[in-house]
Amino acid sequence: MFPFVFGMYDRSPKPIFFLAIPLLTLLNLSMVSQANPHLKKKEPTKSTWVSQTLGQLSLEEKVGQMIMPAFKGVFLNNASPEFLEMEHQIRKNHVGGFILFAGDVYEAAALIDELQCRSKLPLFIASDFERGTNFRIRNTVSFPWNMAIGATRSENWAYLQGRITGQESRALGVNWIFAPDLDVNSNPSNPVINIRSYGEDPQLVANLGAAFVRGAQESGVLATGKHFPGHGDTAVDSHLALPVINADRHRLDTVDLVPFKRAIENHVWSIMAAHMAVPALEPNPQIPATLSSRVLDDLLQNEFGFHGLVVTDSLTMAALADGYWIGDAAVRAVKAGVDVLVDPPIPDVAYQAVLGAVQRGEISQQRLDRSVKKILEAKAWLGLAKKKRVDFAAIRRLVDDPKLQDQAQQMADASITLIRDSNNILPLDVRRIRSADLVLILGRDAQEDTSVFEQELRRRVEFLTINRVSLSTPEAEMEMVLERARKAEVVFCAVFARLVTGTGNVGLSSKLTDWIQRLNRSDKPVVTIALGNPYIIQGFPQVSNYLCTFSNADVSQTAAVKAIFGEIAINGKLPVSIPGIAEFGNGVDRERIDMRIHRSSQEGKTSRELRKRLEESLGRIVGDQIGRKAFPGASLAVGYRGELVCHKAFGKFSYSTNATEVNVETVYDLASLTKVITATTLAMQLFESGQLKLEYPLSRFFPSFTGEGKEKITIKHLLTHTSGLPAHLPFYKDTRGKEAFVQRILSVPLECEPGSKSVYSDLGIILLGDIIEKITGKPLDRLAEERIFKPLGMSHALFKPPTEVRKGIAPTENDPWRGRALQGEVHDENAYAMGEISAHAGLFANSGDLAIFCQMLLNGGVYDHHRVARRSTVERFTSPQDSPPGSRRALGWDTPSEGSSAGSLLSPGAFGHTGFTGTSIWIDPSRELYIILLTNRVNPTRENNAIQEARRQVADSVVRAIEGRNE
C-alpha cells in the first residue's frame, strides 16, 4: 500500500455516455481532439476497433486488461528491478494500465511513453489527482483541497479545476484521473476523507462534483467518482481497518448517494468502490462494498443505471487485505461487478486468480467480455487507439501554465473563511504592524512544509520571530515560546494539522490543544489559522480569532496571509458544521483593505473644507506665480492622511495665448526627481537584499577607480553627495553613450576628500545607476518599470517617451545646444547624450503618479498591498545622515534646511527633492502629508529662477491650510 498525505489513493468507475464538447481551443491539445469519441451519436470506426480488438484478444490478454498495478513517475534504468517488473506485467500479464504515484513531470511522462511503446494495447494511465496533478506530480498547477472549493460554493471553480487537471494530465500521458471525491463528510471525526470532501451538504457536493467531472472529461480524461457508496460518515480509516457505515437506506439515499447519482446523470466515466461495510446495502458486515454484488451490480449498475467502469480502491488497503487473500479478493470483486482491479499488492497473484476463475467457469466468459468491452470502449473514447504516445512538445506549453496557476490561487483566495473574530482585529493593516510572532503548530512530528506561509509573512512583516511547536517539542521550550508571544505586537498561530491517510490520526493531541488555549489567553492579539482540518478548533474552543483555509497547499498558505492583511476580501462560508462552534454556512465577511489614494471630494465635511482652503490659497499663489512668469503652467497634488485633498492644474504648456492648457494628467520632465524615484528606490531594494551595502567601495565595481583617495569613496558617499566628485561637467559636448560617460567620470579628479564636504553631484548618481545595472544585469529603465512603476500602478511614469505620447508632455526649453524646442525629450543634456536614460535625470511622469509614489513612502514602503521597500529602509534612507557633521542630507533625499524649497513649516523629519526643470516633492511623515509641484519653469529658458520662492510659498500655504492657520 502507498499511504499518502490527505487522501489515500482512491479510484472509481463511471459511465461511458459523454456528450459534452471539449474546449479544444482553450486546451490546445491535439490528443484531446482524438480523445472525445462521444461528439457524435455513432462512431463506427471506434466501435469497429472495440469489436475487432475484443475478438482478437486471448483469454490471458482479456484478464490482463482488468489489472492495474502501481508505479512511480521517477527515472528508472531499463535494467532496474522496478522497470523489469513493469515490463513483466505488460509482457506476461498483459495488464490494461498502471496507477501513477508521486513523481516529476518529465520523468513520469518519459516512463509513461516507454510503457505505452512496450504494450500491445494502449494502456490506461491513472492517478489520484484529487487536487490537480500537483497531488502527485511536482511542478504542476497547485490547487487547494476540495473542502476549500466547497467554501467558495462555486461550480465554476470546480469546473475549472477539473478542466485544468485534465489538461495537465493528458499532456503528461495520464488519461484517467481518480477524482473527484464525492464523499459527503458528515462525520467531523472522519480520519480518511475530511478536507478531501467538498463538504457535508449532499447537494453542494453533488453540484461541485458534477462540475469537476464536466471540466475534466471535456479536457479528454476519464473522471472518477469516489468512494461509492460514500465514505463520509466513518470514524475508521480504511487503510487500517474495515469501516462500517450503519446508516439506513433512507439516510444513504438522501445524503451519501446523492452526489453519485448526480455524477452518473452527468455521464461520469468511472466509479470507485469503497472498502467499507454498509449493512443497509449488504447484510453481511464482513463483506465490503468492493466485493458486494448487491452494492455494485444491484444498486450501482442496475438501480442507478451506471454502465461505465467500476474500479476498486487500492487492493493493498487493510480494510480489504486483512480479511481476504488477494487472489480471493480479486475474484470476488470481479464477480461483484468490478471492471478494473487497482494496485494489487502482488499483481501476478490477482492476475492468476482471475484467470483461473475464468478457466474453471467461476467467472463466465460473458462476464469477462463485459468488463473488457467497457475497458476498450473507454480507451477508444480517449483516442488511445490512434494515439497513445506522449506529446512531449505539449508539456512545456500546457503544464504549470502561470495563468492557470493564477486561477488556482484565486480559488484558494475565494475559499478563506473567517469563523470567529471576537475582538474585530481582522484584517490587519500592514502599514500599522512592524513586528509579529509566528507560532507554527505541527500536528505531526514529521517536517511540515510551512515555507510558503513563512515567506509570505516575511514579505509583509519586517521583524518576524518564528517558533515551531510539535509533539516532540520539550516543555521548557514551549514555555519559552509562550513568553516570547506575550511580548509580541501580534501573534499568528498557524496550525498545520495534516490529515494523513493510513495513520488513523485526525485533529491534534491534547498536549498541543491545551498549549494553544494557553497561548490564546495572552493579552496580545492572537490570530489562529487552521491550514487544513477545520474541526481542530474543538480542541481549543475559547480562541477569539479563527481563520480556515481547509487546505495546506501552497496556494492556501498564500491566501491565508493575503486574507490576514486585507489584500483580498474574506467571503468564504463553512462547507461543514463544527459542533459546538459554528454551523454550516457560517462565515464572517471582511472587505479588502483599500490602500489606494482617496479623493477628498468623496469624503465628509472636514475634507471638503480643507479642500476649499487649499484650492483658494494655492490657486492664489500659483496664479500669481504664473502671472509673474515663474512658470507657464503647473500641476499640483497634496495628499493628507491617505486622501488626495487637492489635485489641480494651472496655466498652459507655454506663455503663448493658444498654448495647450495643463491638466492633472499632463506629464512633466522630472529632471533630478529621477534620482530619488528610481536610483534611490532601487538602491533601497538592493540594500534590503544585501546586494548593495552602503560601505561598499566603488572600486568593488570599478577596480581601476583608485588613487587620489578615490578608493575611499563608498556607496554612502554617492547617496549623501559627499564623494568629492564635481557637481556637474558638460560631457555631452563631446561624449556619447552611457559607458563612455562612466569612463569619463571615473577619470575626473576629486575636488575634495571623500566625506569631507557635501556637494550635490549628478556624476555620483550616474555612477550609482551604473552600479545598480551591474548588480542586477538589467537596464535602469526596465528595473524601474518592473520594480516600481508597474507594481505601484504608475501608468504614466517612463523614460524616453515615444513620439505618440509627447504631445501630452509639457514642453521645456528652446534648447540652443540641440537647436529646437524640447517636448518629450529629456532636458538634461548629459542624460540626452547618454541615451535619454540615466539615474540622475530622464524620468517623465505626472502628478498622479507621484502621488502614488509619495503615499507609498508614507505607508512605510507599501501601496495597494504591493511592497516596494521595508519601513525601516524607508526611514533609514530618508533620515539625515550627519555626513559631514551638520549636513541635513539623507541617503539620496534632502531634508528641510534654512532657506530650502521645503519652506519654514514642514516638520524636521520631512524629506524631499527638487528637479531643475521646476519640479519638486516634499513628504512630511509626522503629518502624513505630501506636496507635489510640477512645473516647466525652464520654458522658454532656464534663466528663470523664480521657482524657489514659489516652492516655499506652496509648502507653507499647505501646512497653514491643514492646520487651520491664517495666511
Side-chain angles (χ1 to χ4, degrees), residues 555-632:
V555 288
S556 297
Q557 294 184 40
T558 297
V561 177
K562 291 168 70 176
I564 288 169
F565 289 104
E567 295 174 29
I568 55 175
I570 302 176
N571 299 123
K573 302 301 176 187
L574 264 179
V576 294
S577 56
I578 305 176
I581 303 295
E583 298 297 321
F584 173 88
N586 283 179
V588 180
D589 289 344
R590 287 286 186 265
E591 293 184 358
R592 180 181 187 270
I593 293 178
D594 187 358
M595 287 187 182
R596 294 169 298 177
I597 296 171
H598 298 280
R599 298 188 179 270
S600 62
S601 59
Q602 302 169 351
E603 305 300 329
K605 180 179 178 182
T606 302
S607 292
R608 288 198 299 270
E609 291 176 352
L610 173 59
R611 182 182 183 186
K612 182 180 179 181
R613 289 199 302 271
L614 283 169
E615 289 181 351
E616 288 177 353
S617 63
L618 295 176
R620 285 195 303 269
I621 292 169
V622 176
D624 180 61
Q625 292 293 338
I626 291 175
R628 297 184 183 191
K629 295 193 174 181
F631 42 78

Side-chain angles (χ1 to χ4, degrees), residues 474-512:
E475 294 289 344
E477 185 176 336
M478 295 175 76
E479 290 299 319
M480 290 175 60
V481 173
L482 278 176
E483 188 59 32
R484 283 195 292 268
R486 293 187 185 104
K487 301 175 182 177
E489 187 176 345
V490 64
V491 179
F492 301 113
C493 179
V495 186
F496 285 79
R498 288 190 301 161
L499 173 71
V500 182
T501 59
T503 66
N505 295 330
V506 64
L508 294 173
S509 69
S510 60
K511 174 183 177 179
L512 294 178

Side-chain angles (χ1 to χ4, degrees), residues 571-751:
N571 299 123
K573 302 301 176 187
L574 264 179
V576 294
S577 56
I578 305 176
I581 303 295
E583 298 297 321
F584 173 88
N586 283 179
V588 180
D589 289 344
R590 287 286 186 265
E591 293 184 358
R592 180 181 187 270
I593 293 178
D594 187 358
M595 287 187 182
R596 294 169 298 177
I597 296 171
H598 298 280
R599 298 188 179 270
S600 62
S601 59
Q602 302 169 351
E603 305 300 329
K605 180 179 178 182
T606 302
S607 292
R608 288 198 299 270
E609 291 176 352
L610 173 59
R611 182 182 183 186
K612 182 180 179 181
R613 289 199 302 271
L614 283 169
E615 289 181 351
E616 288 177 353
S617 63
L618 295 176
R620 285 195 303 269
I621 292 169
V622 176
D624 180 61
Q625 292 293 338
I626 291 175
R628 297 184 183 191
K629 295 193 174 181
F631 42 78
S635 181
L636 181 66
V638 178
Y640 180 56
R641 294 180 178 176
E643 297 178 21
L644 190 57
V645 291
C646 182
H647 196 195
K648 298 286 290 183
F650 307 87
K652 299 182 177 181
F653 276 21
S654 71
Y655 295 110
S656 171
T657 55
N658 60 353
T660 302
E661 291 190 356
V662 175
N663 59 57
V664 293
E665 297 296 317
T666 299
V667 172
Y668 283 83
D669 180 338
L670 300 183
S672 285
L673 292 188
T674 305
K675 295 180 174 71
V676 289
I677 295 169
T678 60
T680 301
T681 306
L682 293 170
M684 290 164 63
Q685 294 175 340
L686 296 176
F687 168 79
E688 287 183 0
S689 67
Q691 295 172 276
L692 185 68
K693 297 183 184 298
L694 296 178
E695 61 271 20
Y696 277 166
L698 267 62
S699 58
R700 177 186 178 93
F701 306 98
F702 309 112
S704 63
F705 192 59
T706 58
E708 302 178 356
K710 291 180 178 179
E711 66 278 357
K712 298 178 183 179
I713 300 177
T714 66
I715 299 298
K716 185 174 181 179
H717 287 132
L718 298 184
L719 286 164
T720 56
H721 297 279
T722 57
S723 65
L725 287 167
H728 171 80
L729 290 172
F731 292 143
Y732 66 91
K733 293 181 179 180
D734 57 4
T735 306
R736 293 294 179 271
K738 181 178 71 68
E739 290 302 322
F741 263 79
V742 169
Q743 293 306 313
R744 288 289 301 274
I745 295 170
L746 293 176
S747 65
V748 170
L750 299 184
E751 293 186 340

Side-chain angles (χ1 to χ4, degrees), residues 14-40:
K14 295 281 162 168
I16 291 175
F17 309 114
F18 181 74
L19 304 176
I21 299 175
L23 305 176
L24 296 181
T25 56
L26 206 146
L27 298 176
N28 196 23
L29 274 173
S30 59
M31 63 186 80
V32 174
S33 64
Q34 302 172 7
N36 288 309
H38 287 84
L39 297 179
K40 301 177 181 178

Side-chain angles (χ1 to χ4, degrees), residues 229-230 243-247 252 276-285 287-289 295:
V244 178
I245 304 297
N246 289 312
L252 293 173
M276 61 184 188
V278 189
L281 302 176
E282 170 54 67
N284 188 338
I287 299 178
V295 175

